[in-house]
Amino acid sequence: MHRRRRRTALALSAALVAAAPLLAACGNEAHPGAAAVVGGDRIEVSALQAEVKDVRAAQEASPEAAQLIKNTGQLNRAKLHGMIFDRILEHAAEKHGVTVSRKEVQDARVAAARQSGGEEQLAAMLLQQRGVAPDQIDQAVREEVLLTGLARALGADLGTPQGQQEVGAALTAASKELDIDVNPRYGQWDDAKIQLGDYKAPWITQVTKQPEAVQAGA
């Protein structure tokens, strides 16, 4: 059961960093130099660009560089979405008393590497499927552990539509509380859908539907 939940959480986390339309970064009048402001904390354009640069460097060093770069031509907004979502998840987890220790992250990373066939294979998989650079792996693993912990605190099973809806509702509530303001150059944040602009996060889209629609496969 725990292994199934871990795989489900990783799959759901992966959906959150899928690519979205590429737009250039630029400060707006209200928050110059910021890509977004979440709960009063700025996500600087420079921080976003640094994450994108790390991914591009890792992709360029891969034997599959051309294909990886082609598949992530919309990386800027996808990365911003991920940075915003990280903060929402942290806030929701804190509200429900969920904490994650460094050891838990390390243990989860070891387990993920074992399932992937080793650290090298894990890094290659995360780079290909989620646009995660090697120095971003711990954060990606932490997100998975937090998501699983949040579901557990809510008594929700991420492997079921009902469980996904419960977690989605907690994340939506946290998103609203953080009063997210995104630089218009990147789009607008949607609290209900927990997504940036036209970005589509498959599992979030699913859990915001009515149970009947989900069960019908809509």
Side-chain angles (χ1 to χ4, degrees):
M1 175 64 74
H2 292 305
R3 181 174 297 176
R4 181 173 70 85
R5 287 182 178 177
R6 187 182 300 115
R7 288 198 300 267
T8 302
L10 182 57
L12 299 183
S13 297
L16 302 172
V17 292
L22 171 64
L23 290 176
C26 178
N28 60 20
E29 293 182 2
H31 307 290
V37 178
V38 182
D41 294 330
R42 295 163 58 93
I43 297 177
E44 301 290 350
V45 169
S46 57
L48 171 61
Q49 291 174 336
E51 288 217 356
V52 171
K53 183 178 179 180
D54 284 347
V55 173
R56 288 294 186 226
Q59 290 174 333
E60 290 169 358
S62 169
E64 302 174 349
Q67 189 62 40
L68 289 174
I69 293 172
K70 178 182 178 180
N71 290 344
T72 53
Q74 305 161 346
L75 186 59
N76 278 309
R77 282 185 68 194
K79 273 297 179 183
L80 179 56
H81 179 280
M83 294 171 80
I84 294 172
F85 182 82
D86 281 346
R87 288 156 175 77
I88 293 171
L89 179 56
E90 291 278 357
H91 184 62
E94 182 179 357
K95 281 182 58 181
H96 292 278
V98 179
T99 59
V100 175
S101 68
R102 184 173 181 80
K103 184 178 186 304
E104 287 178 289
V105 173
Q106 292 174 336
D107 289 346
R109 179 167 179 167
V110 169
R114 185 182 302 116
Q115 292 175 1
S116 301
E119 272 284 341
E120 186 175 339
Q121 290 79 2
L122 174 64
M125 182 271 289
L126 289 174
L127 180 63
Q128 178 181 20
Q129 297 182 8
R130 299 181 52 182
V132 173
D135 63 354
Q136 298 168 0
I137 292 177
D138 277 352
Q139 180 57 35
V141 173
R142 177 181 171 80
E143 180 182 278
E144 178 192 346
V145 176
L146 270 178
L147 189 63
T148 301
L150 177 60
R152 187 181 300 116
L154 294 170
D157 183 353
L158 285 171
T160 68
Q162 180 62 34
Q164 291 173 10
Q165 286 185 322
E166 292 171 6
V167 174
L171 292 171
T172 291
S175 180
K176 291 178 179 178
E177 290 173 1
L178 290 173
D179 190 23
I180 298 166
D181 180 15
V182 176
N183 186 316
R185 292 294 185 115
Y186 293 96
Q188 185 174 8
W189 186 262
D190 188 323
D191 292 317
K193 295 181 179 179
I194 320 175
Q195 65 186 33
L196 177 60
D198 295 328
Y199 172 79
K200 303 299 182 184
W203 85 277
I204 293 296
T205 300
Q206 183 185 54
V207 301
T208 54
K209 295 178 181 178
Q210 294 299 318
E212 296 81 3
V214 173
Q215 294 168 2

